[in-house]
Amino acid sequence: MSDINNLPKAEGEEEVNKNVRHSDSITEENKPVETNALETEDTTPVSEEKTIDQNENASNKTKDTDNQNDEVLNEIEDSNAEDAEDEGNKDRHIIEVKAYDTMSLEALAIELERLIKNEKVQAIKSHVESINSEFKDKFQALLDEKKEEFLNDGGNEIDFYYMSPVQKRYKEAYNEYRKKLNAHYQNLEKNLKQNLADKLEIIEELKGLINVEENINTTYKHFKELQERWRITGPIPRDKYNNAWNSYHHHVEMFYDFLHLNRDLRDLDFKHNLERKLLIIERAEELAEDDNVMRAFRELQELHKMWKEELGPVDKEYREVIWEKFKAATKKINDKRQVYYQNIDKVYENNLDKKLLIIENINAINAQDTNSHNAWQKKIKEIEGLREQFFNIGKVPREVNESTWSKFKESVRTFNRQKNAFYKDLKKDQYTNLQKKLDLIKIAEDNKDNDDFDVTTALMKKIQSDWKKIGHVPRKDSDKIWKRFKAACNAYFDELHATRNAANKESLDAFNNKLALLDVLKNLKPIGDKEKDIESVKEFINKWKDLGRVPNDKRYIEGKFNKAIEDFLTSLKMDKNEVEMIKFENKLDTISASDDNKDLDNERHFIRKKIDEVRSQINQLENNLQFFTNVEDDNPLVKEVHNNIKAHKDALKLWKSKLSKIKELY
């Protein structure tokens, strides 16, 4: 702490609140009614005991600096006056200000509820104002979109109404905030008026101390009691704060001048006040080195409040010098705060550039010609992504915030108008498509009971094909008309199949007999005699063929029979190629039973292709052998190549046998 004896002496006297006094300019709704109790109060500051000539040059030199300091001192005074009116306001400094502009509507409602529940209602005013502004802007943008969609769907503007659960939730929270705030101010108004009256009474008693004829020690004790009463008296209206304090301070100093009759008491108080103010200066100088400039500035406000409200004057020779030291520390803290704001401004400017770029990108998308549903869906996703980026970027400079938001909203609205215009035209096409499909439904329903199957089947297949070629219909009609069309078509084809099944009783009998034969085959076990087992398989195959054809919708049983034959042959210990040929012959029997030779042609083409592939592989392997010169035949690599060649030649032989067998069917 600074040494009192080392402080330079100054000529004259400096008020503690020099360059601080100013008229209050802050007003607010719901604040207590002003009183005129102080309008006749003598609030003239204590006059300074120095001549203009002595200080004219010094004043000119410091005038610019003082003017620069006035703004920050006034800011501190305004903030302290606000806190003095309602002490709960101080908490606003420690409540986190979140990035409300990046929050969704639901997140804003949740944050408002949290603030109302956990914080003092008078301390969240600026937070609520920011949240309310963001919510209204974002909800209005949503409302505009919903309204355009409603109008484009054919609705009348007078009938439009939109209400969302999140809006209801937000309104309930905001109304609760207003009720709590009004109740707080109503209660505060009563207290402010009474506290003001109490402080005015203290000032009147201070005035009377000078004229009291009593023991000076008794008077001094009374004076200290008045100071304590002043300190513990609650808040008063902020517009009366400075005048009341100035008047109080004026009469306190007059009392100290009165104490010249008893210097011991006065000097003791002066010394105590000086020590406390030097501690305040020391703390302010420490704060000037704090890297957290906003925290330092908030504590600086508290130091100014202590300086002004809790401590009395010091000896005249120290008043100016300690005030100048305090102002110097204040200026240093504020200079750092200005640098902080400049850096924040750079961030905001950078955010502005990013947001303007997003607006340009949206406008560029708006300039694109888009004539298809898929292309529009792609653009919608792009716009949604750009919107999300815009909201997540963060704040921009306050002076351009509204204009930037307006540009963004207009660019998005332009996109929505274009999108809605496209889908409005698209809906016209969809209604045309709806009529076309309704016409097809009429044809299907008119012919679903027609028993001229040869003619009607071709007609029903054609309208099914035409249905697929017609584009989209309105979503609300899509499922309904499809169910009607499908029901009519199914009714016809079910009747067709039922009629054909009745007419093909022989095929059904064949199916039932084959089903029974299949069960027998599945339970067949090899007897261990290869020739007899093969003969048994061939007998099953011949019996299967003799049973005849099954209905087309039951031909799956052929695959099950082939699988059963394959499983049985696999269990026999016989030559692999022989097993393959038996299986192949059975397959050919199934293919040849069809009236359509297409499957047979496909099988022959497949076999020829496999023969060519195997031959090519054999040639490649034989060519590879030429690279193994001067290598013994028992070399592992050479032996592997020879084994591969042999395996491929065996496969080639099998494929040729299959080709010969299939040629017999032509």
Side-chain angles (χ1 to χ4, degrees), residues 649-661:
K649 285 183 176 181
D650 291 342
L652 180 61
K653 182 179 179 181
L654 177 61
W655 286 114
K656 286 182 177 180
S657 298
K658 289 183 178 181
L659 183 61
S660 298
K661 182 63 67 173

Side-chain angles (χ1 to χ4, degrees), residues 394-406:
K395 296 182 179 180
V396 300
R398 179 178 299 179
E399 63 271 14
V400 296
N401 181 59
E402 185 173 347
S403 62
T404 305
W405 174 244
S406 297

Side-chain angles (χ1 to χ4, degrees), residues 222 415 435 490 588:
H222 188 189
F415 172 80
Q435 187 57 51
N490 286 346
L588 286 183

Side-chain angles (χ1 to χ4, degrees), residues 207-252:
K207 292 181 184 179
L209 289 180
I210 299 175
N211 301 318
V212 173
E213 294 183 1
E214 62 183 0
N215 182 276
I216 191 63
N217 290 326
T218 302
T219 303
Y220 181 75
K221 182 179 179 181
H222 188 189
F223 169 73
K224 300 303 289 184
E225 290 173 352
L226 291 176
Q227 282 188 310
E228 179 63 16
R229 280 171 55 193
W230 179 275
R231 188 184 66 80
I232 64 175
T233 300
I236 64 174
R238 78 173 71 170
D239 59 327
K240 304 300 181 184
Y241 173 76
N242 280 323
N243 283 344
W245 185 86
N246 288 337
S247 180
Y248 168 76
H249 182 70
H250 169 68
H251 292 292
V252 166

